[in-house]
Amino acid sequence: MAKKQVLVGQVFQTVGATNGRSWRVRETVTLFGIPHARVVSTEDEGDAKTLSCLVLVDSNYYRMIGSGTVAA
């Protein structure tokens, strides 16, 4: 099975959430040897959090709804 990759600009939505909030990947970092994504709300960029990439690509928790790219 191919390994899913988290990239800057991708947009994910929480599975089963009543508010339907979506999150855009702002950057990826490695914390304690584990890849993480820093994400911001697509509705309020002041609302940010850091999630393990493993959790973000787990279809039980999040689903990818967009794969925008960010210009350098």
Side-chain angles (χ1 to χ4, degrees):
M1 182 166 96
K3 187 175 183 179
K4 295 180 184 178
Q5 189 174 11
V6 175
L7 302 171
V8 172
Q10 289 178 326
V11 179
F12 292 85
Q13 186 173 42
T14 307
V15 171
T18 56
N19 67 1
R21 180 164 280 198
S22 55
W23 301 91
R24 175 173 281 109
V25 178
R26 175 165 279 171
E27 69 177 319
T28 57
V29 296
T30 300
L31 302 172
F32 306 108
I34 301 169
H36 285 72
R38 293 207 171 118
V39 297
V40 294
S41 170
T42 57
E43 295 134 19
D44 176 8
E45 292 210 9
D47 190 2
K49 59 184 175 180
T50 302
L51 298 167
S52 164
C53 290
L54 295 174
V55 171
L56 203 52
V57 297
D58 186 332
S59 61
N60 291 315
Y61 299 103
Y62 291 91
R63 66 173 189 221
M64 187 169 60
I65 60 171
S67 59
T69 58
V70 176

